[in-house]
Amino acid sequence: MDKQVKLSGVVKESIVDGKGIRYVIFTQGCPHNCEGCHNPDTHDFAKGYFESTQVLFEQIKSNPLLKGITLSGGEPFCQAEALLDLVKKVKAIGKDVWAYSGYTYEQLQQQPQPFAKELLNEVDVLVDGKFVLSQRDLTLLFRGSKNQRLIDCNKTRAANDIVLFS
């Protein structure tokens, strides 16, 4: 069954939100409210608009140049059930999935919210942790502050220990 996801917006082709050309989904609503966040308009859970995961999937499927999708925000894991529906469809056509989260990998594994851990299990690369303004570093690849990690989730699951993406 088709799900609805609350969005701030999408970018249909990006080269700065992960490796390769990516379809980026900016979810609406974030509980972290990180000082200095570059997407403060995505924080308010009352704003944004709904889109069906089937519409998003059709847009993704129609672009053969895409390497994958990136879930950003807002906090994507606040809408884990709807995004899980989309991610499963995207992976079925051979695309990879990156996700940004203000939660750490360890926190996501312990999330009481239904579907959060299941969504995490479908993610290939996770950029985890809150943005910390005092640790801001514009030279970092695909992240904004030094505390954030790029985690290779597939290798992490296989090793049962955090393996950073390189």
Side-chain angles (χ1 to χ4, degrees):
M1 185 171 150
D2 193 26
K3 305 283 185 189
Q4 297 286 313
V5 62
K6 193 166 194 183
L7 300 175
S8 173
V10 299
V11 173
K12 293 181 179 179
E13 292 185 0
S14 170
I15 58 168
V16 298
D17 298 294
K19 281 191 113 173
I21 300 173
R22 313 197 65 77
Y23 187 99
V24 184
I25 297 164
F26 293 94
T27 59
Q28 185 67 43
C30 182
H32 306 297
N33 296 309
C34 300
E35 179 185 4
C37 172
H38 74 281
N39 289 331
D41 292 342
T42 67
H43 293 182
D44 189 343
F45 284 91
K47 293 185 177 177
Y49 63 97
F50 286 98
E51 186 62 84
S52 78
T53 54
Q54 188 61 36
V55 167
L56 294 171
F57 177 66
E58 293 299 329
Q59 291 176 4
I60 294 161
K61 192 170 69 171
S62 71
N63 186 346
L65 299 176
L66 294 175
K67 179 170 182 1
I69 67 168
T70 299
L71 308 176
S72 188
E75 173 53 61
F77 286 88
C78 287
Q79 300 186 62
E81 182 178 8
L83 291 172
L84 180 62
D85 175 62
L86 175 64
V87 162
K88 284 182 175 180
K89 292 174 183 172
V90 167
K91 295 203 81 164
I93 60 169
K95 308 291 185 195
D96 66 15
V97 177
W98 285 47
Y100 286 78
S101 177
Y103 297 110
T104 64
Y105 184 88
E106 294 85 352
Q107 289 170 325
L108 288 171
Q109 287 185 308
Q110 302 301 319
Q111 273 285 329
Q113 186 177 3
F115 305 101
K117 188 173 180 184
E118 199 174 342
L119 177 60
L120 179 62
N121 287 337
E122 297 292 334
V123 171
D124 296 290
V125 177
L126 176 72
V127 181
D128 82 338
K130 293 181 180 179
F131 173 78
V132 177
L133 187 57
S134 64
Q135 295 186 45
R136 180 179 174 199
D137 185 342
L138 298 178
T139 66
L140 297 171
L141 189 61
F142 303 125
R143 61 194 192 277
S145 61
K146 292 178 183 172
N147 63 297
Q148 294 174 310
R149 302 175 294 182
L150 257 69
I151 297 174
D152 185 322
C153 294
N154 297 318
K155 289 181 180 175
T156 293
R157 285 186 284 273
N160 201 26
D161 195 17
I162 299 292
V163 177
L164 298 180
F165 179 81
S166 56

